[in-house]
Amino acid sequence: DSGVTQTPKHLITATGQRVTLRCSPRSGDLSVYWYQQSLDQGLQFLIQYYNGEERAKGNILERFSAQQFPDLHSELNLSSLELGDSALYFCASSTTAAYYNEQFFGPGTRLTVL
Amino acid sequence: AQTVTQSQPEMSVQEAETVTLSCTYDTSENNYYLFWYKQPPSRQMILVIRQEAYKQQNATENRFSVNFQKAAKSFSLKISDSQLGDTAMYFCAFMKHVTFGDDKIIFGKGTRLHILP
């Protein structure tokens, strides 16, 4: 158990819908990262937040957005969902903003878009 | 743009054997970091080992070691005395060293490793 929690574990929804994925980092970790793992695209970095502010942005679509709240939990919002958005979404956390420090991954949220 | 290539989609070895997973990358950067991550059937991503490009000495973590060849842009992972629990997907990853704003990590497609009893 990494100490990072993600909810929900599974999510099934329809095209065009909007969903929110939630992540709680390890106690004391200020940095949160979001990743998408799909069969087509492999594992991709989406976005990083550090202490409430956006720190780095990867291959995140405009339909997707994220934020980190004062209590350091983070949410990833996916809107106008398409079939291709079906994937495993991981959250990870680390103590600092430095990406090369070890990140601790959550168990992921499996999103299925029908 | 940086790329990471893992040329072995799948491998199988007997328990207790040594196995080497290959990874090559392409970059024009001089300062960067390389990682190997493990994703077991539970799907949880776990950092196995990390290498800073400015360090010539190969990183080692217990049974896991790397062969880092900077000039050849090669970063292979060696697993010694393999165990059944090593069965997993292994991802090689690259990140260039930056101070702010563009430190995104690039992953390879992965190598699925099966340790056979």
Side-chain angles (χ1 to χ4, degrees), chain B residues 29-69:
Chain B
E29 302 289 332
N30 191 46
N31 294 324
Y32 49 87
Y33 301 90
L34 295 162
F35 308 85
W36 278 99
Y37 280 90
K38 168 184 176 181
Q39 186 177 36
S42 67
R43 298 194 183 278
Q44 187 131 8
M45 296 285 289
I46 303 164
L47 177 65
V48 175
I49 202 163
R50 171 179 56 210
Q51 175 83 40
E52 292 89 343
Y54 64 86
K55 290 187 177 178
Q56 292 185 342
Q57 186 172 3
N58 289 325
T60 299
E61 290 286 343
N62 301 314
R63 297 182 295 107
F64 298 87
S65 61
V66 297
N67 183 4
F68 173 48
Q69 302 289 328

Side-chain angles (χ1 to χ4, degrees), chain A:
Chain A
D1 184 358
S2 66
V4 178
T5 59
Q6 289 187 248
T7 56
K9 287 188 178 179
H10 303 277
L11 198 49
I12 300 174
T13 188
T15 54
Q17 294 298 305
R18 173 188 170 94
V19 297
T20 298
L21 312 184
R22 182 188 170 101
C23 168
S24 293
R26 291 187 322 156
S27 177
D29 284 359
L30 298 178
S31 217
V32 170
Y33 310 78
W34 285 98
Y35 296 88
Q36 179 196 59
Q37 186 176 27
S38 65
L39 288 175
D40 292 342
Q41 301 294 327
L43 190 56
Q44 293 192 99
F45 164 69
L46 296 178
I47 197 164
Q48 177 197 2
Y49 277 82
Y50 176 74
N51 205 19
E53 295 189 2
E54 184 182 304
R55 175 76 165 72
K57 188 176 276 192
N59 300 322
I60 188 166
L61 300 173
E62 286 191 7
R63 300 183 286 109
F64 295 0
S65 64
Q67 58 185 130
Q68 186 178 27
F69 294 86
D71 67 352
L72 300 177
H73 91 272
S74 178
E75 292 180 356
L76 179 67
N77 300 297
L78 315 177
S79 62
S80 303
L81 285 168
E82 302 174 0
L83 295 177
D85 297 328
S86 293
L88 190 57
Y89 290 84
F90 286 107
C91 163
S93 73
S94 66
T95 52
T96 72
Y99 205 108
Y100 48 83
N101 286 336
E102 183 171 2
Q103 296 178 39
F104 296 86
F105 281 75
T109 292
R110 167 72 68 187
L111 173 66
T112 302
V113 182
L114 301 176

Side-chain angles (χ1 to χ4, degrees), chain B residues 17-23 36 48-49 58-68 75-82 86 90 113:
Chain B
E17 289 185 350
T18 294
V19 59
T20 299
L21 281 59
S22 301
C23 173
W36 278 99
V48 175
I49 202 163
N58 289 325
T60 299
E61 290 286 343
N62 301 314
R63 297 182 295 107
F64 298 87
S65 61
V66 297
N67 183 4
F68 173 48
F75 183 61
S76 61
L77 174 70
K78 185 172 83 170
I79 305 174
S80 303
D81 185 26
S82 58
D86 297 331
Y90 287 82
L113 177 64

